[in-house]
Amino acid sequence: MEKPRVLVVDDSEVQRAHVIGLCEVQGIYDFDIAENGLVALEKLTLAKYDLAFIDLEMPVMDGVELVRRIAEKKLVKSVIILSSKDPSLIMSIGTMAENDGLSVVGSFQKPLKGEDLVTSLKRFERGLAQVKTEQAKTDLTEQDILQGILKKEIILHYQPKLTVKGLLFKGVEALSRWHHPKRGDISPVEFIAAAERYGIISKLTIYLFEQALKQKSDWFSHGLNFHLSFNLSPLSLSEYSLADDIAAQVKNYHVSPKDIVFEITENALCGEVSKAIETLAKLRLKGFKIAIDDYGTGFANAQQLSRVPATELKLDRILVDNVATNPQQQAILKSTVGLSKDLQLETVAEGIEHLEDFKFIHQLNVDLVQGYYFAKPMAADLLIDWISHDLTGIRNQLTKDLTAE
Ligand code: C2E
Ligand code: CA
Ligand code: CA
């Protein structure tokens, strides 16, 4: 990953030096500084920067105004907002900037902490990866997606979720796949976003959920009962009929709602979300479970989390990947697991790719794990074989590794 070119905007020399020092620890050396908003604006107009640290309180053009101008002219893609004011104010300015189309990868009370910088930089890198996918975007039309549904080209794969203690098979997450006859594999990130744009996301959701239920009854008839997690787009949550439609579908297939977990991303819970919370509450009342997905990528605070009738918290790959070698990330992960426990949520660590990361997570109070280290998402007909063969192998190997220590 190329290191970003950074502009540090702060009127205090001490604070600028502090931010620069922390960046250098992370291997970032390409800096420029500005001591107020006006100078920053000039520099941003004349040269290209990837990331700007912005102090909110400055004598000449404050940070709030600067952020607004940056957003207006799209002068820099990502910003980190800093201030000595209270955290909720800083957060609300972050939300405002996001609404203006800026990617706010962090908003913190001063002085900036090393661990906050690490998570912000990870968000920044992920943002870059997303831009690349968007640039590679094929121009899917509404008709393409409708055809994909009609011809049943869009299907579900399933990724196992295991208990941390004993590596017992707990359930699967359904993830959609589309192998287009002409275009090849299309990422779900791309066609889900397109379906959202065209206003046909609910159609796609209902179609996929039907497939998941059919598969679940099929596994059941083979004597297998485990929980199934299904991703819901935040957009469909604002539709009032969703909870009832889903409940009717589940009844048709004689599936018990308590075996279904709906995953909803953390970001869907920020901002004006009363409709979404109402739908989630209805789903909970009907006995379904709710997971907060991608936790660690967004800005939901503890209070926003506690308003959601959730049963599970999924720690995003950002917090999990390479945690074994990064002490700052370890501190964040530990405190997040603590928060999840305080809210009485089942905790899931996602995106485990390395044994060392699993070993670290094993010592924490995490309930479930999911990741390429154990299994990639797979076609439904491969799952039974995976449970009876591969899982036993992984379990034996890990028991050896963990007891050898
Ligand atoms: P997600 O819900 O966070 O799903 C987890 C993603 O991480 C999946 O990507 C999965 O294949 C990937 N993953 C799992 N373990 C690892 C790992 O160890 N390392 C790495 N690098 N990746 C791992 P996928 O299948 O490409 O899906 C991407 C996103 O698309 C999902 O993220 C979800 O937000 C969305 N999505 C997929 N299927 C659906 C769907 O049916 N409905 C909706 N609304 N969204 C979906
Ligand atoms: Ca998910
Ligand atoms: Ca996730």
Side-chain angles (χ1 to χ4, degrees), residues 126 264-266 292-298 314-316 350:
R126 181 175 278 199
I264 180 82
T265 59
E266 179 197 3
I292 296 166
D293 202 0
D294 299 351
Y295 189 75
T297 59
K314 296 190 84 175
L315 307 168
D316 190 75
E350 267 198 306

Side-chain angles (χ1 to χ4, degrees), residues 90-314:
I90 306 171
M91 191 95 75
S92 69
I93 289 170
T95 312
M96 188 187 84
E98 285 263 303
N99 289 340
D100 286 345
L102 262 188
S103 151
V104 181
V105 292
S107 47
F108 308 107
Q109 203 167 18
K110 285 207 257 186
L112 178 66
K113 292 201 274 302
E115 64 232 43
D116 291 338
L117 180 65
V118 170
T119 17
S120 301
L121 289 175
K122 288 203 168 205
R123 284 194 195 116
F124 172 76
E125 282 169 16
R126 181 175 278 199
L128 285 190
Q130 242 162 28
V131 170
K132 281 198 188 125
T133 347
E134 271 168 30
Q135 282 166 347
K137 191 156 45 189
T138 44
D139 36 1
L140 282 177
T141 65
E142 183 175 353
Q143 269 313 309
D144 290 333
I145 299 175
L146 292 173
Q147 284 294 313
I149 295 177
L150 201 67
K151 294 184 181 159
K152 299 198 164 48
E153 286 167 1
I154 304 181
I155 56 161
L156 288 172
H157 276 196
Y158 300 88
Q159 187 178 33
K161 287 165 86 175
L162 307 173
T163 61
V164 171
K165 297 210 172 69
L167 290 183
L168 306 174
F169 180 72
K170 181 72 190 272
V172 290
E173 175 177 1
L175 292 155
S176 51
R177 295 289 177 263
W178 188 1
H179 183 77
H180 191 277
K182 291 205 184 92
R183 299 168 189 249
D185 288 332
I186 305 174
S187 155
V189 177
E190 183 182 335
F191 64 78
I192 300 280
E196 288 176 343
R197 266 199 318 274
Y198 296 127
I200 53 171
I201 185 63
S202 292
K203 200 178 172 76
L204 180 58
T205 304
I206 294 285
Y207 157 81
L208 286 171
F209 192 51
E210 186 90 12
Q211 224 180 78
L213 289 172
K214 254 189 211 147
Q215 187 55 55
K216 188 153 177 23
S217 336
D218 189 56
W219 281 322
F220 192 74
S221 68
H222 284 86
L224 290 167
N225 196 21
F226 44 79
H227 85 212
L228 183 133
S229 302
F230 187 85
N231 293 285
L232 280 183
S233 152
L235 285 188
S236 43
L237 284 188
S238 52
E239 281 183 20
Y240 282 119
S241 66
L242 185 82
D244 292 329
D245 293 348
I246 281 176
Q249 267 183 303
V250 167
K251 215 167 174 185
N252 256 341
Y253 284 92
H254 308 289
V255 168
S256 166
K258 72 173 180 9
D259 291 333
I260 305 283
V261 186
F262 290 111
E263 298 196 356
I264 180 82
T265 59
E266 179 197 3
N267 271 329
L269 309 172
C270 303
E272 187 35 65
V273 289
S274 46
K275 252 186 185 173
I277 293 199
E278 186 180 331
T279 306
L280 292 175
K282 273 193 198 160
L283 288 169
R284 272 297 288 142
L285 282 174
K286 291 178 194 294
F288 295 102
K289 295 188 170 142
I290 308 285
I292 296 166
D293 202 0
D294 299 351
Y295 189 75
T297 59
F299 294 101
N301 53 33
Q303 196 195 2
Q304 282 164 322
L305 281 191
S306 65
R307 285 198 321 222
V308 182
T311 50
E312 181 179 308
L313 187 82
K314 296 190 84 175

Side-chain angles (χ1 to χ4, degrees), residues 322-345:
N322 287 323
V323 70
T325 53
N326 190 326
Q328 286 161 337
Q329 209 175 318
Q330 293 174 0
I332 302 168
L333 196 68
K334 273 189 197 157
S335 70
T336 314
V337 172
L339 171 70
S340 179
K341 289 289 139 188
D342 288 346
L343 294 170
Q344 294 177 330
L345 301 173

Side-chain angles (χ1 to χ4, degrees), residues 2-16:
E2 252 177 65
K3 297 293 176 192
R5 181 163 158 70
V6 173
L7 182 68
V8 183
V9 191
D10 199 311
D11 56 321
S12 148
E13 196 180 335
V14 176
Q15 292 290 340
R16 289 196 303 260

